[in-house]
Amino acid sequence: MSSNGYFITGTDTGVGKTVLACALLHAFASSGKRVVGMKPVAAGATRGTDGLINDDVTMLRSAGNVEAALDLINPYCFELPIAPHLAAEQAGVAIELAKIVDAFERLAASADLVIVEGVGGFCVPLNHREDSADLALRLGLPVILVVGVRLGCINHALLTAQAIRAKGLVLAGWIANRIDPAMPAAECNVAALSARLPAPLLGGIDFMPAPEPQRIAGQLDLSPLARLL
């Protein structure tokens, strides 16, 4: 298990992985760490003078305090906002985990921690044989799970935790992100997960119409991660 960073996954797409990854970057940077964000695969980008750029990648790049080349932070970027293996097929590209691992190692050489944001959920396919879980295993990083607190989150979170353990990876912690302000019994759902997930709760984030990573960073408790650093 590598001590060079964390792999950020979610219970689904749209649960706030990017915002929470940026918040983690801000929190670690404020503690004196040299940190850089990485999004190995991004689907959904606009084409500019310098090629394709994804908004999540831009956020991650701004949240870190280590300068790094864009092709290391984001080795694979696709224009269509669809499942990554489909976006790659449409672009005539094969996603290779070895290329991602090489980019990660080069980032890790210049930073204390690399915060790697996965794509979609934990088991999203990346090519014909491998998925995001295989990437997490190749990187060998402890996993932080972002739980989108909405109807169905208990089942999604517990299944994801099982998948993480099945890969032989460490679930270092989880974050409850209240993405549905109208969800009834939200706190009861968080309590149920706290009793069942085999990892510490690093923070409960209240709903924000326009989430601010730096503000969220102050709501995180990273002390349970100290044993893994």
Side-chain angles (χ1 to χ4, degrees), residues 99-213:
K99 177 178 178 178
I100 296 172
V101 172
D102 177 69
F104 170 81
E105 290 175 346
R106 292 169 67 183
L107 290 173
S110 61
D112 297 317
L113 291 171
V114 184
I115 302 300
V116 181
E117 182 197 342
V119 57
F122 188 62
C123 297
V124 168
L126 297 180
N127 54 43
H128 292 301
R129 306 171 310 282
E130 298 160 314
D131 58 21
S132 184
D134 293 313
L135 173 59
L137 181 62
R138 286 284 296 272
L139 295 175
L141 296 172
V143 179
I144 294 175
L145 173 61
V146 177
V147 177
V149 181
R150 60 186 175 198
L151 188 62
C153 67
I154 294 177
N155 181 64
H156 292 165
L158 295 179
L159 286 175
T160 303
Q162 287 181 14
I164 292 167
R165 290 199 302 272
K167 280 292 182 183
L169 293 168
V170 172
L171 178 59
W174 65 286
I175 300 170
N177 190 24
R178 295 170 177 82
I179 57 176
D180 179 3
M183 181 186 179
E187 290 300 329
C188 294
N189 279 259
V190 174
L193 284 171
S194 293
R196 291 167 174 81
L197 284 173
L201 175 62
L202 305 178
I205 310 305
D206 292 330
F207 174 79
M208 297 181 188
E212 301 172 17

Side-chain angles (χ1 to χ4, degrees), residues 8-70:
I8 314 303
T9 193
T11 46
D12 200 350
T13 190
V15 296
K17 290 191 306 299
T18 302
V19 170
L20 269 302
C22 289
L24 286 164
L25 286 164
H26 286 299
F28 282 120
S30 68
S31 70
K33 298 288 186 182
R34 295 175 302 132
V35 294
V36 63
M38 181 185 191
K39 190 175 179 74
V41 182
T46 55
R47 190 172 295 277
T49 56
D50 297 324
L52 291 173
I53 185 66
N54 172 269
D55 289 342
D56 293 348
V57 174
T58 299
M59 286 181 62
L60 288 167
R61 200 176 190 187
S62 298
N65 59 8
V66 172
E67 290 291 329
L70 182 60

